[in-house]
Amino acid sequence: MGLNDFWFLLIAVLWTGYFFLEGFDFGVGILTRLLARDRTERRVLINIIGPVWDGNEVWLITAAGAMFAAFPVWYATFFSSFYLLLVLALLLLIVRVLAFEYRHKRPEESWQRNWELVLFASSLLLPFLWGMMFANMVRGVPINSQQNFAGSFTDLLNWPALLGGLAFVALCTVHGAVFTALKTVGDIRVRARTFAAKATVVALLLGGALLIWIQAERGTAWTAMALAMAVVGLLGTLAMNAKAREGWAFSFTGVAIASVVAAIFLALAPDLMPSSLNDAWNLTIDNSASGPYTLKVMTWVAVIMMPLVLLYQGWTYWVFRKRIGPQHIPADAH
Protein backbone atom coordinates (compact mmCIF):
# COMPACT_ATOMS: atom_id res chain seq x y z
CA MET A 1 0.00 0.00 0.00
CA GLY A 2 1.40 3.38 -1.08
CA LEU A 3 1.03 6.61 0.90
CA ASN A 4 -1.74 7.74 -1.48
CA ASP A 5 -3.77 4.65 -0.61
CA PHE A 6 -2.96 4.97 3.09
CA TRP A 7 -4.29 8.53 3.21
CA PHE A 8 -7.42 7.62 1.29
CA LEU A 9 -8.01 4.90 3.88
CA LEU A 10 -7.26 7.24 6.78
CA ILE A 11 -9.64 9.91 5.45
CA ALA A 12 -12.34 7.24 5.16
CA VAL A 13 -11.65 6.31 8.81
CA LEU A 14 -11.88 9.98 9.86
CA TRP A 15 -15.24 10.42 8.13
CA THR A 16 -16.42 7.17 9.69
CA GLY A 17 -15.38 8.42 13.12
CA TYR A 18 -17.20 11.68 12.50
CA PHE A 19 -20.48 10.04 11.53
CA PHE A 20 -20.22 7.46 14.33
CA LEU A 21 -19.66 10.10 17.03
CA GLU A 22 -21.47 13.14 15.67
CA GLY A 23 -24.20 10.83 14.39
CA PHE A 24 -25.53 10.04 17.85
CA ASP A 25 -25.50 13.66 19.00
CA PHE A 26 -27.32 14.65 15.79
CA GLY A 27 -29.83 11.96 16.71
CA VAL A 28 -30.19 13.21 20.28
CA GLY A 29 -30.73 16.73 18.95
CA ILE A 30 -33.52 15.41 16.74
CA LEU A 31 -35.06 13.61 19.72
CA THR A 32 -35.34 16.84 21.71
CA ARG A 33 -38.56 17.40 19.73
CA LEU A 34 -39.60 13.83 18.92
CA LEU A 35 -39.04 12.13 22.27
CA ALA A 36 -38.79 14.70 25.07
CA ARG A 37 -42.13 15.67 26.60
CA ASP A 38 -41.15 18.79 28.54
CA ARG A 39 -38.31 21.20 29.27
CA THR A 40 -36.79 18.94 31.90
CA GLU A 41 -36.55 15.97 29.54
CA ARG A 42 -35.09 18.19 26.83
CA ARG A 43 -32.49 19.31 29.36
CA VAL A 44 -31.70 15.64 30.08
CA LEU A 45 -31.12 14.97 26.38
CA ILE A 46 -28.94 18.05 26.00
CA ASN A 47 -26.94 17.07 29.09
CA ILE A 48 -26.11 13.56 27.83
CA ILE A 49 -24.31 15.03 24.82
CA GLY A 50 -23.19 18.30 26.43
CA PRO A 51 -19.72 17.07 27.47
CA VAL A 52 -18.90 15.41 24.14
CA TRP A 53 -20.57 17.09 21.15
CA ASP A 54 -17.80 19.63 20.55
CA GLY A 55 -15.12 16.93 20.74
CA ASN A 56 -17.04 14.91 18.17
CA GLU A 57 -16.77 17.79 15.69
CA VAL A 58 -12.97 17.56 15.83
CA TRP A 59 -13.29 14.56 13.51
CA LEU A 60 -14.94 16.74 10.85
CA ILE A 61 -12.19 19.34 11.06
CA THR A 62 -9.52 16.65 10.91
CA ALA A 63 -11.17 14.91 7.94
CA ALA A 64 -11.43 18.18 5.99
CA GLY A 65 -7.85 19.11 6.91
CA ALA A 66 -6.57 15.71 5.80
CA MET A 67 -8.37 16.08 2.47
CA PHE A 68 -6.79 19.50 1.97
CA ALA A 69 -3.26 18.34 2.77
CA ALA A 70 -3.25 14.85 1.22
CA PHE A 71 -5.49 15.41 -1.82
CA PRO A 72 -5.64 19.17 -2.54
CA VAL A 73 -7.31 18.70 -5.93
CA TRP A 74 -10.05 16.58 -4.36
CA TYR A 75 -10.50 19.14 -1.59
CA ALA A 76 -10.76 22.02 -4.06
CA THR A 77 -13.22 20.26 -6.37
CA PHE A 78 -15.29 18.88 -3.48
CA PHE A 79 -15.67 22.30 -1.87
CA SER A 80 -16.42 24.07 -5.15
CA SER A 81 -18.89 21.40 -6.28
CA PHE A 82 -20.84 21.45 -3.03
CA TYR A 83 -20.23 25.11 -2.24
CA LEU A 84 -23.81 26.11 -1.40
CA LEU A 85 -24.47 22.91 0.55
CA LEU A 86 -21.24 23.37 2.52
CA VAL A 87 -21.98 27.02 3.28
CA LEU A 88 -25.40 25.98 4.58
CA ALA A 89 -23.78 23.18 6.61
CA LEU A 90 -21.27 25.66 8.07
CA LEU A 91 -24.06 28.05 9.07
CA LEU A 92 -25.95 25.17 10.69
CA LEU A 93 -22.84 24.10 12.59
CA ILE A 94 -22.43 27.67 13.87
CA VAL A 95 -26.03 28.09 15.02
CA ARG A 96 -25.93 24.62 16.58
CA VAL A 97 -22.99 25.74 18.73
CA LEU A 98 -24.96 28.84 19.68
CA ALA A 99 -27.96 26.69 20.64
CA PHE A 100 -25.83 24.70 23.09
CA GLU A 101 -24.12 27.78 24.52
CA TYR A 102 -26.99 30.30 24.63
CA ARG A 103 -29.98 28.17 25.62
CA HIS A 104 -29.27 28.30 29.36
CA LYS A 105 -28.15 31.94 29.44
CA ARG A 106 -31.67 33.22 30.17
CA PRO A 107 -34.48 31.58 32.17
CA GLU A 108 -37.42 32.62 29.96
CA GLU A 109 -39.24 29.65 28.48
CA SER A 110 -39.61 31.35 25.07
CA TRP A 111 -35.85 31.98 24.90
CA GLN A 112 -35.01 28.37 25.70
CA ARG A 113 -37.72 27.01 23.38
CA ASN A 114 -36.39 29.02 20.43
CA TRP A 115 -32.84 27.75 20.93
CA GLU A 116 -34.17 24.20 21.31
CA LEU A 117 -35.86 24.59 17.93
CA VAL A 118 -32.55 25.76 16.47
CA LEU A 119 -30.83 22.70 17.93
CA PHE A 120 -33.50 20.39 16.51
CA ALA A 121 -33.46 21.96 13.03
CA SER A 122 -29.67 22.00 12.75
CA SER A 123 -29.38 18.41 14.03
CA LEU A 124 -31.95 17.31 11.42
CA LEU A 125 -30.59 19.22 8.43
CA LEU A 126 -26.87 18.57 8.88
CA PRO A 127 -26.97 14.78 8.34
CA PHE A 128 -29.39 15.37 5.46
CA LEU A 129 -26.88 17.68 3.77
CA TRP A 130 -23.97 15.28 4.36
CA GLY A 131 -26.04 12.44 2.91
CA MET A 132 -26.80 14.52 -0.18
CA MET A 133 -23.13 15.34 -0.71
CA PHE A 134 -21.82 11.80 -0.32
CA ALA A 135 -24.57 10.31 -2.51
CA ASN A 136 -23.72 12.85 -5.22
CA MET A 137 -20.06 11.98 -4.88
CA VAL A 138 -20.84 8.32 -5.64
CA ARG A 139 -23.22 9.26 -8.46
CA GLY A 140 -20.69 11.60 -10.03
CA VAL A 141 -20.73 15.35 -10.54
CA PRO A 142 -19.95 17.42 -13.66
CA ILE A 143 -16.14 17.72 -13.58
CA ASN A 144 -14.36 18.95 -16.71
CA SER A 145 -10.93 18.14 -18.11
CA GLN A 146 -9.35 20.85 -15.92
CA GLN A 147 -10.67 19.02 -12.82
CA ASN A 148 -13.10 21.84 -12.10
CA PHE A 149 -16.80 21.66 -11.30
CA ALA A 150 -18.67 22.49 -14.52
CA GLY A 151 -22.27 22.17 -13.36
CA SER A 152 -24.81 24.11 -11.31
CA PHE A 153 -26.58 23.66 -8.00
CA THR A 154 -29.53 21.99 -9.73
CA ASP A 155 -27.22 19.14 -10.84
CA LEU A 156 -26.97 18.14 -7.18
CA LEU A 157 -30.74 17.89 -6.71
CA ASN A 158 -31.57 14.34 -7.73
CA TRP A 159 -33.30 11.33 -6.21
CA PRO A 160 -30.11 9.52 -5.08
CA ALA A 161 -29.09 12.67 -3.19
CA LEU A 162 -32.52 12.86 -1.56
CA LEU A 163 -32.29 9.17 -0.65
CA GLY A 164 -28.82 9.67 0.78
CA GLY A 165 -30.01 12.58 2.91
CA LEU A 166 -33.00 10.69 4.28
CA ALA A 167 -30.93 7.57 4.97
CA PHE A 168 -28.33 9.55 6.92
CA VAL A 169 -31.05 11.26 8.99
CA ALA A 170 -32.69 7.90 9.75
CA LEU A 171 -29.39 6.28 10.77
CA CYS A 172 -28.45 9.19 13.02
CA THR A 173 -31.89 9.17 14.63
CA VAL A 174 -31.59 5.47 15.48
CA HIS A 175 -28.06 6.01 16.76
CA GLY A 176 -29.25 8.87 18.94
CA ALA A 177 -32.25 6.95 20.29
CA VAL A 178 -30.08 4.00 21.31
CA PHE A 179 -27.53 6.35 22.88
CA THR A 180 -30.35 8.04 24.81
CA ALA A 181 -31.49 4.66 26.14
CA LEU A 182 -27.88 3.90 27.06
CA LYS A 183 -27.36 7.16 28.96
CA THR A 184 -30.70 7.73 30.76
CA VAL A 185 -32.80 6.15 33.49
CA GLY A 186 -36.51 5.90 34.13
CA ASP A 187 -39.39 6.45 31.75
CA ILE A 188 -37.38 8.34 29.14
CA ARG A 189 -35.07 5.33 28.79
CA VAL A 190 -38.04 3.02 28.12
CA ARG A 191 -39.54 5.43 25.58
CA ALA A 192 -36.16 5.80 23.88
CA ARG A 193 -36.00 2.04 23.36
CA THR A 194 -39.54 2.00 21.94
CA PHE A 195 -38.69 4.87 19.61
CA ALA A 196 -35.42 3.17 18.57
CA ALA A 197 -37.26 0.02 17.55
CA LYS A 198 -39.55 1.95 15.19
CA ALA A 199 -36.76 4.16 13.86
CA THR A 200 -34.56 1.14 13.14
CA VAL A 201 -37.17 -0.25 10.75
CA VAL A 202 -37.22 3.07 8.88
CA ALA A 203 -33.41 3.16 8.80
CA LEU A 204 -33.31 -0.40 7.52
CA LEU A 205 -35.59 0.53 4.61
CA LEU A 206 -33.88 3.82 3.71
CA GLY A 207 -30.32 2.67 4.41
CA GLY A 208 -30.93 -0.57 2.55
CA ALA A 209 -32.29 1.33 -0.44
CA LEU A 210 -29.24 3.62 -0.46
CA LEU A 211 -26.82 0.70 -0.31
CA ILE A 212 -28.67 -1.22 -3.02
CA TRP A 213 -28.41 1.87 -5.24
CA ILE A 214 -24.66 2.15 -4.46
CA GLN A 215 -24.27 -1.53 -5.31
CA ALA A 216 -26.08 -1.03 -8.62
CA GLU A 217 -24.16 2.16 -9.42
CA ARG A 218 -20.57 1.21 -8.56
CA GLY A 219 -20.83 -2.10 -6.74
CA THR A 220 -18.04 -4.57 -6.05
CA ALA A 221 -17.68 -7.58 -3.80
CA TRP A 222 -16.42 -5.21 -1.10
CA THR A 223 -19.47 -2.95 -1.27
CA ALA A 224 -21.70 -6.04 -1.17
CA MET A 225 -19.93 -7.07 2.03
CA ALA A 226 -20.48 -3.58 3.48
CA LEU A 227 -24.17 -3.80 2.55
CA ALA A 228 -24.46 -7.12 4.37
CA MET A 229 -22.69 -5.71 7.44
CA ALA A 230 -25.02 -2.71 7.55
CA VAL A 231 -28.06 -5.00 7.48
CA VAL A 232 -26.52 -7.18 10.21
CA GLY A 233 -25.87 -4.04 12.25
CA LEU A 234 -29.46 -2.82 12.08
CA LEU A 235 -30.93 -6.28 12.71
CA GLY A 236 -28.58 -6.60 15.68
CA THR A 237 -29.79 -3.22 16.91
CA LEU A 238 -33.38 -4.47 16.81
CA ALA A 239 -32.51 -7.65 18.68
CA MET A 240 -30.37 -6.03 21.38
CA ASN A 241 -32.75 -3.11 21.83
CA ALA A 242 -35.63 -5.56 22.41
CA LYS A 243 -33.56 -7.20 25.17
CA ALA A 244 -32.72 -3.82 26.76
CA ARG A 245 -29.02 -4.40 26.01
CA GLU A 246 -28.36 -0.77 25.12
CA GLY A 247 -24.58 -1.08 25.02
CA TRP A 248 -24.73 -3.84 22.43
CA ALA A 249 -27.48 -2.04 20.52
CA PHE A 250 -25.29 1.07 20.34
CA SER A 251 -22.38 -1.02 19.06
CA PHE A 252 -24.59 -2.47 16.34
CA THR A 253 -25.83 0.96 15.21
CA GLY A 254 -22.17 1.94 15.03
CA VAL A 255 -21.50 -1.07 12.80
CA ALA A 256 -24.37 -0.01 10.53
CA ILE A 257 -23.14 3.58 10.21
CA ALA A 258 -19.53 2.49 9.68
CA SER A 259 -20.68 0.03 7.01
CA VAL A 260 -22.61 2.69 5.11
CA VAL A 261 -19.61 5.05 5.10
CA ALA A 262 -17.34 2.16 4.13
CA ALA A 263 -19.65 1.26 1.24
CA ILE A 264 -19.40 4.84 -0.06
CA PHE A 265 -15.60 4.92 0.01
CA LEU A 266 -15.27 1.38 -1.32
CA ALA A 267 -17.59 2.27 -4.20
CA LEU A 268 -15.44 5.30 -5.00
CA ALA A 269 -11.99 3.66 -4.90
CA PRO A 270 -9.73 4.16 -6.77
CA ASP A 271 -11.64 7.34 -7.64
CA LEU A 272 -12.18 10.22 -5.25
CA MET A 273 -14.83 12.06 -7.26
CA PRO A 274 -16.14 10.52 -10.48
CA SER A 275 -16.97 12.88 -13.34
CA SER A 276 -20.46 12.52 -14.80
CA LEU A 277 -19.15 14.05 -18.06
CA ASN A 278 -16.25 11.73 -18.89
CA ASP A 279 -14.63 8.89 -16.94
CA ALA A 280 -11.23 10.11 -18.11
CA TRP A 281 -11.78 13.26 -16.03
CA ASN A 282 -12.36 11.43 -12.74
CA LEU A 283 -10.39 12.60 -9.75
CA THR A 284 -8.41 9.60 -8.54
CA ILE A 285 -6.17 8.66 -5.64
CA ASP A 286 -3.16 9.11 -7.94
CA ASN A 287 -3.95 12.26 -9.94
CA SER A 288 -5.19 14.29 -6.94
CA ALA A 289 -2.57 13.54 -4.29
CA SER A 290 0.12 15.75 -2.79
CA GLY A 291 3.80 14.96 -3.32
CA PRO A 292 5.52 12.04 -1.58
CA TYR A 293 7.38 14.29 0.87
CA THR A 294 4.17 15.98 2.04
CA LEU A 295 2.44 12.64 2.52
CA LYS A 296 5.44 11.25 4.41
CA VAL A 297 5.51 14.18 6.86
CA MET A 298 1.73 13.95 7.32
CA THR A 299 2.02 10.25 8.06
CA TRP A 300 4.45 10.84 10.92
CA VAL A 301 2.18 13.55 12.34
CA ALA A 302 -0.82 11.22 12.13
CA VAL A 303 1.05 8.35 13.78
CA ILE A 304 1.91 10.60 16.75
CA MET A 305 -1.33 12.58 17.10
CA MET A 306 -4.10 10.05 16.36
CA PRO A 307 -3.44 7.87 19.44
CA LEU A 308 -3.45 11.00 21.64
CA VAL A 309 -6.81 12.13 20.24
CA LEU A 310 -8.29 8.67 20.75
CA LEU A 311 -6.98 8.49 24.33
CA TYR A 312 -8.36 11.91 25.17
CA GLN A 313 -11.79 11.20 23.74
CA GLY A 314 -11.90 7.80 25.39
CA TRP A 315 -11.08 9.42 28.74
CA THR A 316 -13.84 12.00 28.22
CA TYR A 317 -16.47 9.33 27.58
CA TRP A 318 -15.26 7.36 30.61
CA VAL A 319 -15.56 10.40 32.92
CA PHE A 320 -19.12 11.12 31.74
CA ARG A 321 -20.24 7.49 31.55
CA LYS A 322 -23.04 7.52 34.14
CA ARG A 323 -26.75 7.60 33.31
CA ILE A 324 -28.94 10.58 34.17
CA GLY A 325 -32.67 11.24 34.33
CA PRO A 326 -35.15 14.04 35.08
CA GLN A 327 -34.54 13.58 38.82
CA HIS A 328 -30.98 14.79 38.32
CA ILE A 329 -32.11 18.12 36.88
CA PRO A 330 -32.65 20.78 39.59
CA ALA A 331 -36.14 22.30 39.59
CA ASP A 332 -34.79 25.78 38.87
CA ALA A 333 -32.36 24.66 36.12
CA HIS A 334 -33.89 24.09 32.70
Side-chain angles (χ1 to χ4, degrees):
M1 178 186 291
L3 288 178
N4 296 12
D5 303 305
F6 171 79
W7 274 96
F8 176 76
L9 177 61
L10 184 57
I11 289 169
V13 170
L14 291 172
W15 278 109
T16 301
Y18 173 66
F19 288 119
F20 177 86
L21 295 172
E22 190 86 306
F24 72 75
D25 71 54
F26 284 151
V28 173
I30 293 169
L31 293 179
T32 57
R33 305 308 298 181
L34 301 183
L35 182 68
R37 291 176 173 172
D38 53 36
R39 293 171 67 193
T40 301
E41 288 193 349
R42 284 191 287 275
R43 177 64 182 268
V44 169
L45 294 180
I46 291 170
N47 280 10
I48 65 175
I49 58 173
V52 298
W53 67 267
D54 49 353
N56 295 343
E57 291 187 349
V58 170
W59 290 78
L60 171 62
I61 298 169
T62 308
M67 288 173 65
F68 171 75
F71 300 101
V73 177
W74 182 24
Y75 175 90
T77 306
F78 180 90
F79 275 71
S80 60
S81 300
F82 304 126
Y83 180 77
L84 290 177
L85 295 177
L86 285 165
V87 167
L88 180 56
L90 178 61
L91 292 174
L92 289 169
L93 286 167
I94 292 170
V95 297
R96 192 165 185 266
V97 172
L98 296 178
F100 280 111
E101 297 296 333
Y102 282 10
R103 177 191 176 275
H104 64 282
K105 297 297 185 183
R106 291 172 56 178
E108 294 89 346
E109 184 175 354
S110 59
W111 171 271
Q112 295 185 358
R113 182 176 61 249
N114 289 337
W115 284 115
E116 287 164 2
L117 288 171
V118 170
L119 175 61
F120 166 74
S122 57
S123 298
L124 179 70
L125 291 173
L126 277 164
F128 183 81
L129 293 175
W130 290 124
M132 285 187 65
M133 284 183 262
F134 278 90
N136 267 303
M137 201 157 62
V138 173
R139 179 176 179 267
V141 295
I143 299 173
N144 61 23
S145 58
Q146 285 75 47
Q147 299 179 321
N148 296 321
F149 180 65
S152 64
F153 179 71
T154 56
D155 293 316
L156 308 179
L157 304 178
N158 49 75
W159 73 263
L162 177 61
L163 177 60
L166 293 174
F168 271 55
V169 170
L171 288 164
C172 289
T173 303
V174 173
H175 205 35
V178 173
F179 184 76
T180 299
L182 177 64
K183 294 291 292 180
T184 57
V185 294
D187 180 60
I188 192 171
R189 176 188 178 191
V190 176
R191 284 188 282 116
R193 287 204 306 266
T194 301
F195 187 94
K198 298 175 182 177
T200 302
V201 175
V202 176
L204 189 57
L205 294 173
L206 291 172
L210 175 65
L211 290 173
I212 290 171
W213 169 76
I214 291 174
Q215 188 66 26
E217 189 79 6
R218 297 175 62 88
T220 64
W222 290 106
T223 55
M225 187 181 301
L227 190 160
M229 287 298 297
V231 172
V232 168
L234 290 174
L235 292 177
T237 300
L238 277 174
M240 293 298 103
N241 185 66
K243 295 180 179 180
R245 302 289 297 276
E246 291 99 346
W248 280 104
F250 184 71
S251 299
F252 275 113
T253 57
V255 168
I257 289 175
S259 298
V260 170
V261 180
I264 290 170
F265 280 92
L266 289 169
L268 287 171
D271 295 328
L272 300 174
M273 284 186 71
S275 171
S276 60
L277 303 178
N278 190 326
D279 288 342
W281 300 339
N282 292 354
L283 303 185
T284 69
I285 293 173
D286 293 324
N287 69 16
S288 303
S290 294
Y293 181 75
T294 299
L295 295 178
K296 186 176 181 179
V297 172
M298 288 174 59
T299 301
W300 280 109
V301 172
V303 167
I304 295 170
M305 296 305 297
M306 280 294 289
L308 296 178
V309 171
L310 292 172
L311 285 171
Y312 169 74
Q313 283 210 292
W315 176 80
T316 302
Y317 280 93
W318 175 255
V319 169
F320 296 101
R321 66 190 181 278
K322 292 186 177 180
R323 298 174 183 266
I324 64 171
Q327 67 270 28
H328 299 111
I329 306 298
D332 59 345
H334 294 287

